[in-house]
Each structure stands twice: as structure tokens, then as C-alpha cells.
Amino acid sequence: MTAGRVAVVTGGAGALGAAIGEHLTGQAEVVLLADRDLDGARERSENLRGVEACYLDVADDESVQALVETVERRFGRLDVIVNNAAVTAPRGMEALRRDDWERVMAVNVWGPTALCRKAVPLWSSTRAGGRVVNITSRTWLSGGPIAYTSSKAAVVGLTRSLALELAPFGVTANAVAPSMVATPFTRGDRSEEEYAAFEAKHLAMTPMRRFATPEDIAHAVGYLASEAAGFVTGEVLHVCGGAQLAPAP
Ligand SMILES: NC(=O)c1ccc[n+]([C@@H]2O[C@H](COP(=O)([O-])OP(=O)(O)OC[C@H]3O[C@@H](n4cnc5c(N)ncnc54)[C@H](O)[C@@H]3O)[C@@H](O)[C@H]2O)c1
């Protein structure tokens, strides 16, 4: 672990965010699980040394500003941002309303953009470098639920653009694209039957014949967040058991 390193994981109350946060304790002194579900983030941080919960709504600029100000005041540095918070919306185009679309884009795309924007003055003043890891999804490649998938493709574009914009500050930006992890997020509004069929399709299209685990994703994020990955930027790391090579279910 590098002394004093500070990491923020958005959506830290969720299944993947919590696993990523726990994994990052191996390389950061403080890990903030930042979520609009503060109670959930508190539960996840209980009994984890170096892990703290804090409130954040990534779609609310004032909340993002408040988080960065708190980090600056308390620690004077921000070494790792993992943009993991996300929401989804009705799957088919017919059921989708404009405000669903706008909510998904606000959380999944504007959220990571806003957080990185607010961190720039800190990175620019400390010149200590940093790591941004954005969580996208295999769907960016294969297609999927329309608003969610569009947002995750935008996250790839965002990542590649951030890599260019942040390089002068010694900050890398990469993305991790998981395939299906069995979490409440994946279950969404599917009935028991629909979900069983969905799971079966995913297993059939995954050459490694299993789902991803939160730990699979956390390890990939850990590498991209580490000091060892300082010359890797603008990449998308698929953690999919080969499913990124296969057609969509
Ligand atoms: N679970 C999967 O199969 C899967 C597959 C591919 C990609 N992903 C991606 O992984 C990430 C985490 O997914 P998960 O399965 O852990 O989902 P999850 O629903 O368990 O966690 C998401 C977290 O984000 C938080 N959140 C939502 N809106 C927020 C906001 N405005 N501000 C702050 N926090 C907010 C939620 O409160 C929740 O704790 C997401 O980016 C998701 O798109 C998940």
C-alpha cells in the first residue's frame, strides 16, 4: 500500500462497489464508499479497516462538489476514483420514456464526468497523478437495454476522452466492462421465469460457463487503480469470461 492514498468508489453501497472498495484497502489508506444510499454504504463499511461511508448523489452537482471539497479538506489528495454508480431503465424502446433516458444519462454519464471535472483542480495542484476507473458493461459492445446500453457506450467514449484530457496531470482513465454478475441490479424487474431464462442465455454465451463475481471485477479495477498501471490509459478491460467475443443473448 502507498501511504496516504485516498480512493472514492461511487455506488459503494452496491454489490460491486462494496467488493471494489474492500479490494482497494490493499492499496489505499482510506477508501470512501460514496452512495446516495448512505445507510447501505455504512453497512458495507462496517468492520472494514480504512473504509468509510459517505453520502453522494452523482447526478447532483452540489453533492459532487461537496464530496470533493470534503476530500480536499480532510486529505488534500484524491488518488483513485472508481465511477461505479449506475441505474437502469425499462428495457424496450416502447416502454422507455424521455425522463427514464435522462435519469440514466444523468447518473451513468454525467455523474462520472462531473466527479472528474471537480477533481481536476486538486489533481492540477497536487501533481501527484491519479487513476480513474469507470465501470461500463459488456452491453456497450453487444447491445442491450436501450438507455442503459447507450449510457455504457457513452462511458467508453468518456473514458477515452478523459484519458486524453487527464494525461497532462499524470492521471490515467480506463474502463472495466463486466459481463453478468448475479446481483439485484441484474434481476431488475424480471419475473422469476424471465430471470431464469436470462441467466441460462448468459451462461450459454459465456465461453467460461459461469457468471462474473464481484471479486473478478474488483481485481481488474485493482490493477487499473494501482501504481503499476501508470502507463495504461484509455483502455477497456473486459471481465467477461470471453462473453465479449460472443453474440448477444
Ligand atoms: N451486476 C451486473 O451484472 C453488472 C454487469 C455489468 C456492469 N455492471 C455495472 O456495475 C456497476 C455496479 O453494479 P451493481 O450490480 O453493483 O449494482 P447495484 O445496484 O448493486 O449498485 C449500484 C449502486 O449505485 C448507487 N447509486 C445509484 N444512483 C446513484 C447516484 N445518483 N449517486 C450515487 N450512487 C448511486 C445505488 O444506490 C447502488 O448502491 C454499475 O455501473 C453497473 O452498470 C453490473
Side-chain angles (χ1 to χ4, degrees):
M1 186 215 297
T2 310
R5 246 171 147 232
V6 176
V8 169
V9 181
T10 73
L16 298 194
I20 292 166
E22 183 170 358
H23 186 82
L24 290 180
T25 57
Q27 52 171 283
E29 206 158 296
V30 180
V31 177
L32 297 177
L33 297 183
D35 205 295
R36 68 176 179 190
D37 174 6
L38 181 57
D39 289 342
R42 283 194 173 124
E43 254 174 59
R44 297 287 196 180
S45 62
E46 258 170 35
N47 308 321
L48 287 178
R49 202 160 160 214
V51 180
E52 291 180 30
C54 62
Y55 178 79
L56 172 69
D57 179 350
V58 295
D60 173 356
D61 291 354
E62 282 178 19
S63 174
V64 171
Q65 173 82 37
L67 174 78
V68 174
E69 280 172 6
T70 304
V71 168
E72 183 164 17
R73 193 179 60 248
R74 286 188 58 197
F75 311 110
R77 60 191 287 172
L78 178 49
D79 301 273
V80 178
I81 295 176
V82 182
N83 286 305
N84 164 78
V87 290
T88 189
R91 273 165 280 142
M93 200 154 49
E94 269 180 46
L96 187 71
R97 289 169 304 139
R98 185 178 177 137
D99 53 350
D100 295 322
W101 174 275
E102 287 175 354
R103 185 175 54 88
V104 168
M105 292 298 163
V107 174
N108 299 9
V109 188
W110 176 248
T113 311
L115 185 51
C116 290
R117 269 181 85 220
K118 295 291 182 194
V120 163
L122 189 52
W123 286 326
S124 143
S125 67
T126 61
R127 295 268 151 189
R131 303 277 179 269
V132 175
V133 184
N134 296 326
I135 308 301
T136 176
S137 160
R138 179 198 53 81
T139 57
W140 86 275
L141 206 53
S142 62
I146 197 155
Y148 175 75
T149 302
S150 303
S151 78
K152 291 301 184 178
V155 167
V156 172
L158 172 66
T159 304
R160 293 166 66 90
S161 307
L162 285 173
L164 298 176
E165 287 224 18
L166 299 179
F169 310 114
V171 176
T172 64
N174 293 287
V176 168
S179 56
M180 183 178 155
V181 189
T183 71
F185 190 92
T186 0
R187 173 76 191 248
D189 58 358
R190 291 180 177 88
S191 69
E192 205 102 328
E193 215 171 50
E194 285 172 329
Y195 192 59
F198 179 70
E199 281 192 326
K201 273 186 193 168
H202 272 273
L203 280 182
M205 65 171 279
T206 305
M208 304 292 289
R209 293 287 180 265
R210 69 167 176 85
F211 301 126
T213 64
E215 291 70 32
D216 289 324
I217 312 310
H219 279 100
V221 172
Y223 166 64
L224 294 170
S226 72
E227 298 207 316
F231 206 51
V232 179
T233 197
E235 290 297 329
V236 182
L237 179 52
H238 292 91
V239 185
C240 295
Q244 83 281 14
L245 307 168

